[in-house]
């Protein structure tokens, strides 16, 4: 086929995908509204409207004409440089197309129906501490998860197709060695810290009025470089980030007036996700590439701005006087040191979402191991609560008193498939330190600038090296390009050991 004809086909593919993007974005607006301003009475109509939009987007994307275009465009893709926008779009569209078309539509519909029932049952079973009630549903979910994987026989491990849905290119074989290297180090760090006197948390508990908490968070993310001309923040129950276009990236938070840390760190976290999206190159707008590379890379940016920057000593040297001025009665007599310790408190706890930087990954890695064991058939659902508690005992040194705060605590296995949804959290933490180390190696002044409330060098480096690429590269490719080497746990371990070794006065 002639070059001109291929270019015409590429334009047709792009136009078709742009319509899919429009439908998805419209569904996202409805989803954002549902979780922020919609009155309860809107629930029924809203879920119908969102289902219609996703069905239309799915039909448009999986149209056989798209498959033909992708086949016809192979020579065009091969004639272009691998890192060109055009080749990347065809490559990513082909991967997505395969994922959406290999699984029969009838099975997808069945699974969606099952997930609705499973989620509803979980919302009742968790407060009732009743694992037996969700057990048959979870068994069915496991069965569906295995069926899903069976449509992708080209993967090595049964969990790989599920991991690939969220972290393209990552597999059990690539994730496991990283986790195996991290786990024992974290277990000993947590043990060493647990032997130290507990930190006084009173500085962050008290009464902190909502308006001032929100103003402080907005001030910081403005300094970070969050673009309010292309984004905004609203209140919700479970904070999230969502994007309608590169010109409209929204974050949400919730405020607890008795806890200063909840809104603040969720704001810094979601702003990290949002700045990644805002930093994607405008040329990628309206295509599948205008998105984060993977769950792991996305989470690396929320964690970088939340933890490596927002919980660092230089950061608080700059912002603590400002915070004290906002809350003079509550913090006027609290030293910077005491406050810094309180926001970096490490303790063994049962709930993943409440966990600190050091213990958090132990919660995640044990879930990853359990879901892989379930998929492999080495663990049965009926033995899951026991296996869960055993891992809490060996990894965190504590055992949940009941299943409510044990195996029933996370929504993931009860609202989606089993597999693929947890590894991204810890990979994100690992990558946050690896990217941050690469940035500060290139620009050592970043550390001083953080202590002056200036973030443009760091933000500029991240935009230039990471954000602008959107989804053009897989996690592996991006890490290689940005850091010059493969994914490694070393920078993250160095970061944790240095910071917490100093904070707790422990040798690790
Ligand atoms: Zn996140």
């Amino acid at each position: 086929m002639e070059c001109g004809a291929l270019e015409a086909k590429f334009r047709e593919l792009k136009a078709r995908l742009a319509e899919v993007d429009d439908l998805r974005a419209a569904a996202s607006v409805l989803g954002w509204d549902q979780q922020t301003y919609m009155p309860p009475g809107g629930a029924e109509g809203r879920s119908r409207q969102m289902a219609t939009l996703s069905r239309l987007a799915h039909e448009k994307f999986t149209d056989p004409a798209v498959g033909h275009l992708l086949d016809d465009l192979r020579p065009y893709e091969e004639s272009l440089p691998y890192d060109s926008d055009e080749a990347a779009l065809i490559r990513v569209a082909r991967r997505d197309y395969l994922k959406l078309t290999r699984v029969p539509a009838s099975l997808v519909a069945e699974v969606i129906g099952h997930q609705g029932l499973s989620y509803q049952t979980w919302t009742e079973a968790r407060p009732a501490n009743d694992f037996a009630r969700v057990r048959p549903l979870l068994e069915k979910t496991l069965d569906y998860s295995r069926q899903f994987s069976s449509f992708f026989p080209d993967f090595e491990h049964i969990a790989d197709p599920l991991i690939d849905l969220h972290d393209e290119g990552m597999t059990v074989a690539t994730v496991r060695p990283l986790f195996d290297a991290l786990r024992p180090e974290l277990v000993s760090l947590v043990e060493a810290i647990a032997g130290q006197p507990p930190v006084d948390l009173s500085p962050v508990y008290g009464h902190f009025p909502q308006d001032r908490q929100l103003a402080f968070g907005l001030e910081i993310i403005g300094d970070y470089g969050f673009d309010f001309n292309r984004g905004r923040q609203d209140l919700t129950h479970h904070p999230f980030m969502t994007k309608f276009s590169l010109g409209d990236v929204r974050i949400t938070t919730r405020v607890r007036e008795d806890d200063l840390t909840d809104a603040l760190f969720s704001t810094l976290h979601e702003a990290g996700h949002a700045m990644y999206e805002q930093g994607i190159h405008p040329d990628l707008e309206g295509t599948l590439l205008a998105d984060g590379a993977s769950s792991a890379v996305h989470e690396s940016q929320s964690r970088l701005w939340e933890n490596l920057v927002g919980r660092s000593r230089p950061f608080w040297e700059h912002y603590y006087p400002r915070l004290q001025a906002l809350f003079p009665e509550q913090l006027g007599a609290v030293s910077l040191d005491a406050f810094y310790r309180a926001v970096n408190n490490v303790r063994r706890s049962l709930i993943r979402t409440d966990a600190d930087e050091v213990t958090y990954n132990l919660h995640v890695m044990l879930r990853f191991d359990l879901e892989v064991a379930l998929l492999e058939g080495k663990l049965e659902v009926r033995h899951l609560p026991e296996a869960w508690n055993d891992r809490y005992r060996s990894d965190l040194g504590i055992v949940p008193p009941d299943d409510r705060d044990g195996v029933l605590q996370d929504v993931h296995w009860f609202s989606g498939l089993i597999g693929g949804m947890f590894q991204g959290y810890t990979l994100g933490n690992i990558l946050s330190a690896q990217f941050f180390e690469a940035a500060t190696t290139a620009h050592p002044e970043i550390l001083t600038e953080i202590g002056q409330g200036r973030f443009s060098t760091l933000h500029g480096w991240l935009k230039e090296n990471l954000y602008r690429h959107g989804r053009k590269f897989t996690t592996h490719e991006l890490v290689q390009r940005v850091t010059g080497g493969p994914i490694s746990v070393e920078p993250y371990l160095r970061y944790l050991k240095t910071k917490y070794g100093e904070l707790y006065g422990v040798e690790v």
Side-chain angles (χ1 to χ4, degrees):
M1 210 173 306
E2 288 170 50
C3 200
L6 284 173
E7 275 163 12
K9 279 186 188 284
F10 179 72
R11 280 196 299 276
E12 191 193 335
L13 175 73
K14 226 177 146 177
R16 283 176 176 267
L17 294 177
E19 284 186 351
V20 173
D21 190 66
D22 288 342
L23 289 165
R24 287 176 176 172
S28 298
V29 180
L30 296 186
W32 167 84
D33 177 70
Q34 184 181 45
Q35 294 179 71
T36 51
Y37 295 102
M38 189 188 79
E44 209 183 309
R46 185 55 51 87
S47 46
R48 193 183 59 240
Q49 293 147 5
M50 287 168 64
T52 301
L53 286 175
S54 357
R55 181 173 51 77
L56 290 174
H58 188 268
E59 282 170 9
K60 273 199 178 289
F61 198 170
T62 55
D63 189 322
V66 172
H68 296 315
L69 282 170
L70 289 167
D71 285 340
D72 293 349
L73 283 166
R74 263 188 203 281
Y76 183 65
E77 181 192 354
E78 281 155 16
S79 74
L80 295 163
Y82 184 83
D83 61 357
S84 67
D85 292 353
E86 292 80 4
L89 180 57
I90 299 169
R91 184 166 71 233
V92 168
R94 185 176 291 117
R95 287 200 296 242
D96 284 3
Y97 183 80
L98 276 180
K99 279 177 191 166
L100 290 175
T101 51
R102 280 232 192 132
V103 185
S106 57
L107 180 66
V108 174
E110 209 181 304
V111 171
I112 290 171
H114 168 75
Q115 283 168 339
L117 177 66
S118 171
Y119 173 75
Q120 186 52 41
T121 310
W122 172 77
T123 59
E124 293 152 11
R126 189 183 175 208
N129 188 34
D130 190 358
F131 180 75
R133 220 169 132 195
V134 287
R135 193 184 116 191
L137 292 161
L138 202 55
E139 280 164 350
K140 190 132 200 196
T141 305
L142 179 59
D143 192 45
Y144 281 133
S145 310
R146 296 172 62 93
Q147 276 189 61
F148 173 87
S149 282
S150 70
F151 291 103
F152 302 90
D154 28 342
F155 285 91
E156 193 180 304
H157 190 283
I158 188 162
D160 289 349
L162 293 151
I163 294 172
D164 201 74
L165 283 180
H166 306 273
D167 288 299
E168 196 131 46
M170 301 299 296
T171 61
V172 171
T174 55
V175 174
R176 203 162 243 167
L178 294 166
F179 286 6
D180 286 348
L182 190 58
R183 186 185 307 101
E185 300 269 5
L186 291 182
V187 168
S188 11
L189 183 56
V190 173
E191 259 165 27
I193 291 171
Q196 300 302 308
V199 167
D200 175 17
L201 295 179
S202 63
V204 295
Y205 296 127
H207 181 73
F208 301 92
Q210 167 162 320
D211 52 343
R212 275 180 271 166
Q213 284 201 47
L214 288 172
F216 184 63
L218 290 173
E219 182 184 325
I220 295 175
I221 64 171
D223 291 350
Y224 273 0
F226 178 87
D227 182 354
F228 286 98
N229 198 34
R230 296 190 292 135
R232 52 178 288 130
Q233 184 187 55
D234 295 273
L235 292 173
T236 190
H237 295 292
H238 299 285
F240 63 96
M241 182 278 303
T242 183
K243 180 190 64 186
F244 310 145
S245 70
L246 295 179
D248 191 350
V249 183
R250 310 220 180 162
I251 58 172
T252 56
T253 190
R254 64 172 172 218
V255 179
R256 283 183 52 188
E257 292 199 316
D258 60 350
D259 177 354
L260 184 56
T261 59
D262 204 40
L264 174 61
F265 290 108
S266 93
T267 298
L268 304 188
H269 182 98
E270 300 307 332
H273 283 303
M275 285 157 63
Y276 183 11
E277 298 278 349
Q278 287 182 336
I280 293 170
H281 198 286
D283 286 354
L284 305 182
E285 175 72 300
T287 76
L288 291 170
L289 303 178
D291 203 350
S294 63
S295 307
V297 176
H298 235 301
E299 201 63 13
S300 78
Q301 292 318 295
S302 55
R303 293 298 186 173
L304 184 149
W305 291 104
E306 175 195 357
N307 290 336
L308 283 97
V309 177
R311 288 184 206 264
S312 73
R313 180 90 195 187
F315 176 92
W316 285 109
E317 279 165 9
H318 179 77
Y319 284 103
Y320 190 56
R322 173 79 189 124
L323 189 64
Q324 281 179 306
L326 277 170
F327 301 106
E329 286 165 35
Q330 300 88 334
L331 297 172
V334 176
S335 70
L336 168 64
D337 197 57
F339 182 80
Y340 175 63
R341 283 174 178 279
V343 297
N344 284 296
N345 168 55
V346 176
R347 89 195 148 88
R348 292 164 154 161
S349 63
L350 294 170
I351 308 294
R352 175 184 61 86
T353 53
D354 295 340
D356 54 79
E357 272 191 287
V358 183
T359 55
Y360 186 82
N361 301 294
L362 294 172
H363 293 266
V364 172
M365 291 187 287
L366 71 85
R367 286 159 174 73
F368 176 79
D369 289 344
L370 292 174
E371 60 187 16
V372 170
L374 285 167
L375 289 163
E376 285 173 335
K378 289 182 181 158
L379 174 64
E380 287 175 55
V381 169
R382 65 196 172 104
H383 294 134
L384 185 60
E386 224 177 291
W388 179 282
N389 293 352
D390 285 347
R391 281 297 298 267
Y392 266 80
R393 189 180 296 112
S394 65
D395 291 13
L396 279 136
I398 45 173
V399 184
D402 54 31
D403 292 335
R404 182 183 8 225
D405 286 342
V407 71
L408 290 173
Q409 72 176 262
D410 290 309
V411 65
H412 304 58
W413 292 336
F414 304 98
S415 64
L417 293 174
I418 295 176
M421 274 194 283
F422 283 110
Q423 78 287 327
Y425 297 120
T426 286
L427 291 172
N429 282 323
I430 293 169
L431 293 177
S432 70
Q434 202 170 355
F435 290 141
F436 190 70
E437 199 175 85
T440 52
T441 303
H443 298 282
E445 71 275 21
I446 284 172
L447 296 169
T448 317
E449 289 176 2
I450 291 174
Q452 298 162 341
R454 291 166 51 216
F455 307 97
S456 56
T457 309
L458 175 60
H459 188 206
W461 187 91
L462 290 167
K463 271 194 285 194
E464 182 56 30
N465 291 282
L466 264 177
Y467 299 175
R468 73 185 172 98
H469 299 305
R471 224 184 132 199
K472 278 172 74 169
F473 304 110
T474 66
T475 309
H476 289 297
E477 290 167 346
L478 209 50
V479 173
Q480 189 69 43
R481 286 177 73 98
V482 174
T483 70
I487 304 174
S488 159
V489 298
E490 293 311 319
Y492 187 52
L493 283 171
R494 266 197 290 280
Y495 159 71
L496 289 179
K497 287 179 180 181
T498 309
K499 176 173 174 180
Y500 291 94
E502 275 170 24
L503 255 166
Y504 282 90
V506 290
E507 284 281 331
V508 278

